[in-house]
Amino acid sequence: MKYHKGDQLVVTKEFATLLTPFQQMRFSEGQGMVIVETIDRDINGGSAYLVRCRDVTFVINKETLEHVTEFDAPLSDKQYSKIIATGLTYGQAMEELLIEGKLVTRKVWDGYWTVQTLGNLTGEPAWHGRFIVAKLKNGGFAVASPYQEDMFATDWMVVE
């Protein structure tokens, strides 16, 4: 299962779930919740989560919750301090990075990508020109190279 007991989540897509046959609870984008427990088999034979939100604890199926939420990680753990835009594709993120000069990252990363111009570096290889570099979690930099998963992801963000 994607989430574990104690994980803090944030709603990314508005949704509603039934609490009883006659009562539903609506969730708005940006609303927080916490995983109380994971349930390997619910009464319908599927996996589910026991979730707490607004002083209400309820069961919600795995597929629904994982589709409409993501981890709510504090920005203090990140190499950036502000999120400007979310939900970008790789192509949109590269346009923001290369054309607009913005910093970009994926939701699952602690660092970000930026463009740097390097010149007059000697040695083999002789590095010069514009490079996409990654600002790493530990504060260092490395030449950025996307994986297939990064190119198909839709969780790219513009950050400061």
Side-chain angles (χ1 to χ4, degrees):
M1 295 184 64
K2 181 177 178 179
Y3 301 132
H4 303 284
K5 183 176 181 177
D7 285 348
Q8 300 281 333
L9 308 179
V10 64
V11 175
T12 57
K13 297 177 186 170
E14 188 174 307
F15 76 103
T17 188
L18 287 176
L19 298 178
T20 71
F22 304 105
Q23 184 182 24
Q24 73 174 354
M25 188 170 184
R26 295 186 108 16
F27 298 89
S28 302
E29 189 173 329
Q31 193 167 5
M33 58 182 63
V34 65
I35 301 295
V36 176
E37 197 64 60
T38 59
I39 304 168
D40 292 329
R41 292 288 222 201
D42 66 11
I43 58 173
N44 298 318
S47 298
Y49 293 100
L50 187 61
V51 178
R52 184 162 184 80
C53 179
R54 292 185 275 176
D55 296 325
V56 177
T57 303
F58 56 94
V59 174
I60 186 167
N61 77 39
K62 173 185 178 292
E63 290 76 21
T64 299
L65 189 68
E66 291 179 0
H67 181 70
V68 298
T69 61
E70 59 188 31
F71 286 105
D72 189 16
L75 292 182
S76 61
D77 296 342
K78 308 291 186 182
Q79 290 291 324
Y80 50 88
S81 60
K82 187 175 181 183
I83 298 172
I84 306 301
T86 62
L88 280 69
T89 65
Y90 176 75
Q92 292 167 324
M94 291 304 98
E95 185 172 320
E96 292 289 333
L97 176 69
L98 299 172
I99 296 172
E100 302 296 327
K102 306 285 185 178
L103 306 178
V104 297
T105 188
R106 292 209 37 223
K107 181 71 176 176
V108 295
W109 294 349
D110 292 326
Y112 57 84
W113 285 4
T114 185
V115 173
Q116 289 187 350
T117 301
L118 303 176
N120 300 325
L121 296 179
T122 59
E124 292 294 326
W127 295 92
H128 62 280
R130 290 181 67 201
F131 292 88
I132 298 174
V133 297
K135 170 79 178 209
L136 306 174
K137 182 179 181 176
N138 66 8
F141 286 92
V143 175
S145 181
Y147 293 102
Q148 288 290 317
E149 182 179 345
D150 299 324
M151 291 186 273
F152 286 103
T154 58
D155 66 346
W156 285 88
M157 304 184 299
V158 175
V159 296
E160 289 182 351

